[in-house]
Amino acid sequence: MQFLPLFFSLKDRPVLIVGGGEVALRKASLLVKANAMVHVISLNVKPELDALISKTGGQVYTRAFEKNDALGKTLIVAATDNKEINARIAKDAGELNIPVNVVDQPELCSFIFPAIVDRSPIIAAVSSGGSSPVLARILRAKLETVLPSAYGRLAQLAEKYRIQVKQTFSHVNLRRGFWEKVLTGPVADLVFAGKEHEAEALLSKELNSKTETKRELGEVYLVGAGPGDPDLLTFKALRLMQQADVVLFDRLVSQPILDLCRRDAQMINVGKARSDHLVPQEGINQLLVDYAKKGHRVLRLKGGDPFIFGRGGEEIQELTENGVPFQVVPGITAAAGCSSYAGIPLTHRDFAQSVRFVTGHLKNNTTDLPWSELAYTNQTIVFYMGLMGLPIICNKLIEHGMSKDTPIALVQKGTTPEQKVVIATLDTMVKTIENQEISAPTLIIVGDVVSLHSKLKWFDPNLSLSI
């Protein structure tokens, strides 16, 4: 993150703009809208800018900028058409520890202006860190279409009753439940329909009757986070991620996905690696029950799909035995995601009419699998958690009749920018990766469909390695 997004109160604070052209006018209009006291210094000032500053109580100085002009200012905007002057302003501001924005020179900025969606008091801001202002404006336009102006009126109504709601419901969970009901239910619908008086009457009625959902018993959301790419999340998964109070997440859940969870949620890492369980499975089960019984909405976030080698069945069995309500949201399992991003179809009319998902790491820490059933032709085998057992997998498949020339793929961190694909055969794969840095999570795909990788690979081909 190059810039930390902040919402800065400028009400009645002195702000300096150096420059008097069209760009300075745009910046001044924005700052005036934020109730800042704007002053302008420039040898030439547009009449519209002069009128705006005079109307709002600021001062216009038709002269060159001097360092002393920066003293006492809350922030400075350098908007001249002279890069040397802009650089000097940035230097002077930096020496005085005053935030400065230099138009079209992000490398000199200590703050930048985002593209803004104004639904006051709701404000949404989008920034590219100065790398692509046009892209930021495009994204702002998309936000404009999904944020009706009525959201501002809804926020004003909520602000009006905020203290009263806090006095009525002493527990934060009860307040949150009440507001969620108000802001997503009939009250919000009335505001969006332009019936603010009716909306306020209904809100007051619900507040007085205390008809909020009292969450004496919470709920658990068992959600599949997919193989790593945040764009592969389902809509339902994202909605539950953003409303959960507590999040228990696995090691395989990528940081970009965790960043989509509600910002104020309690985050608990229960990640498991081979022979290294940060929290034992029994402990995870108990945490889900305990937090739910305290009235929390608990998100159990798992890489891939909860019911495919994710031990989701064990967790909901514990919830059922304790009378805890739950929802299960499927995710794209690693086999589907990684094979697709590697350009390897799991089934193909000419190569494989069936596919088998197999764990390469069994409960008893062995790879004691039904090898004779796996060593079939016209079948694709996908091994989860098989990196440590790769030599055994290759040897056993050959030993039970599979050709040593059968292609095999190892997909590391599939669907992410760090994806790496290694292609070899059962006979050569172990030697192929001897001098390569391969780490979990990895997926192993065995079968003739792997031969299609060279033709069908489409995702970040520069990160793929074919042997």
Side-chain angles (χ1 to χ4, degrees):
M1 188 186 301
Q2 186 179 359
F3 291 93
L4 177 68
L6 298 171
F7 288 89
F8 198 165
S9 175
L10 292 175
K11 184 177 174 59
D12 298 327
R13 293 173 178 257
V15 172
L16 177 63
I17 296 178
V18 184
E22 185 63 35
V23 173
L25 176 60
R26 291 201 304 268
K27 302 301 183 185
S29 299
L30 186 61
L31 292 166
V32 165
K33 196 173 183 180
N35 298 304
M37 181 61 66
V38 182
H39 305 288
V40 170
I41 295 177
S42 179
L43 294 175
N44 298 291
V45 179
K46 285 178 68 71
E48 299 92 333
L49 178 57
D50 194 336
L52 175 64
I53 300 305
S54 299
K55 180 181 178 180
T56 54
Q59 296 291 326
V60 175
Y61 303 95
T62 53
R63 57 174 174 78
F65 167 81
E66 297 176 1
K67 186 174 183 178
N68 286 340
D69 293 324
L71 296 176
K73 301 302 187 293
T74 300
L75 57 83
I76 299 173
V77 177
T80 78
D81 56 4
N82 187 308
K83 288 189 174 182
E84 291 183 1
I85 293 176
N86 287 343
R88 181 166 62 85
I89 295 169
K91 180 176 180 294
D92 292 343
E95 291 175 353
L96 295 170
N97 292 318
I98 299 174
V100 63
N101 174 269
V102 181
V103 177
D104 291 334
Q105 291 182 266
E107 69 280 3
L108 297 180
C109 296
S110 59
F111 80 92
I112 56 177
F113 287 92
I116 296 172
V117 179
D118 188 357
R119 302 288 186 265
S120 294
I122 300 297
I123 302 292
V126 180
S127 172
S128 65
S131 61
S132 180
V134 173
L135 178 58
R137 289 198 295 272
I138 291 172
L139 294 176
R140 179 192 63 188
K142 290 182 179 293
L143 287 176
E144 294 271 9
T145 65
V146 297
L147 291 176
S149 59
Y151 271 110
R153 301 196 300 274
L154 184 60
Q156 290 171 351
L157 179 60
E159 183 180 23
K160 184 176 180 179
Y161 282 83
R162 182 172 178 269
I163 295 177
Q164 189 175 344
V165 170
K166 188 173 183 179
Q167 292 171 343
T168 302
F169 305 116
S170 58
H171 196 282
V172 64
N173 277 348
L174 300 183
R175 291 198 297 272
R176 184 180 293 134
F178 176 81
W179 280 124
E180 286 173 351
K181 180 180 179 181
V182 166
L183 298 175
T184 61
V187 172
D189 291 339
L190 287 169
V191 172
F192 293 149
K195 301 177 180 179
E196 280 86 354
H197 292 298
E198 294 178 36
E200 183 171 355
L202 180 57
L203 190 159
S204 180
K205 179 181 178 180
E206 293 190 355
L207 179 59
N208 291 329
S209 63
K210 301 182 182 179
T211 57
E212 88 294 337
T213 302
K214 188 175 181 180
R215 295 205 310 266
E216 293 180 353
L217 180 63
E219 187 176 13
V220 173
Y221 312 135
L222 191 63
V223 172
D229 184 350
D231 287 345
L232 298 181
L233 287 168
T234 65
F235 288 126
K236 186 173 184 179
L238 184 59
R239 176 171 59 83
L240 296 179
M241 288 166 63
Q242 293 179 345
Q243 74 180 39
D245 308 311
V246 180
V247 179
L248 278 67
F249 62 94
D250 278 348
R251 177 181 61 93
L252 296 181
V253 179
S254 66
Q255 189 60 48
I257 290 177
L258 291 177
D259 290 340
L260 295 175
C261 293
R262 210 178 79 201
R263 291 291 182 184
D264 60 340
Q266 181 179 353
M267 307 294 291
I268 302 174
N269 184 357
V270 294
K272 299 186 289 293
R274 180 183 176 91
S275 302
D276 181 17
H277 292 195
L278 191 61
V279 179
Q281 185 61 49
E282 294 76 11
I284 296 174
N285 297 347
Q286 193 60 50
L287 284 173
L288 295 175
V289 172
D290 290 345
Y291 278 111
K293 286 189 172 181
K294 292 178 181 177
H296 295 295
R297 293 164 301 185
V298 186
L299 174 70
R300 179 67 176 103
L301 196 57
K302 293 174 169 289
D305 181 273
F307 281 5
I308 300 182
F309 304 126
R311 304 185 75 168
E314 299 174 40
E315 294 175 356
I316 65 171
Q317 183 176 355
E318 186 76 18
L319 297 174
T320 301
E321 292 173 355
N322 284 271
V324 175
F326 61 86
Q327 300 182 46
V328 180
V329 182
I332 294 179
T333 187
C338 296
S339 62
S340 295
Y341 276 54
I344 302 173
L346 294 180
T347 62
H348 189 281
R349 185 170 55 182
D350 298 329
F351 297 100
Q353 288 73 54
S354 65
V355 59
R356 295 189 64 163
F357 297 166
V358 183
T359 175
H361 174 56
L362 301 186
K363 192 171 183 179
N364 58 1
N365 292 316
T366 71
T367 50
D368 186 15
L369 297 170
W371 298 108
S372 58
E373 297 178 13
L374 299 178
Y376 284 158
T377 57
N378 300 322
Q379 174 179 260
T380 303
I381 317 168
V382 180
F383 290 91
Y384 289 68
M385 300 167 286
L387 182 60
M388 297 298 294
L390 180 62
I392 297 176
I393 290 171
C394 293
N395 290 335
K396 287 292 185 181
L397 289 175
I398 294 174
E399 181 182 317
H400 284 78
M402 188 170 280
S403 170
K404 64 181 182 180
D405 294 325
T406 301
I408 176 175
L410 191 152
V411 184
Q412 173 183 285
K413 298 183 178 180
T415 79
T416 74
E418 293 77 35
Q419 174 174 301
K420 180 178 182 179
V421 180
V422 180
I423 305 294
T425 66
L426 289 177
D427 189 43
T428 62
M429 177 58 85
V430 175
K431 186 176 181 180
T432 296
I433 66 171
E434 278 182 355
N435 298 319
Q436 297 189 42
E437 293 185 7
I438 304 294
S439 60
T442 57
L443 195 81
I444 298 169
I445 306 173
V446 181
D448 290 336
V449 291
V450 174
S451 63
L452 297 171
H453 165 74
S454 60
K455 294 181 180 179
L456 305 182
K457 60 183 180 180
W458 60 271
F459 177 71
D460 283 341
N462 292 332
L463 298 179
S464 296
L465 174 65
S466 296
I467 306 259

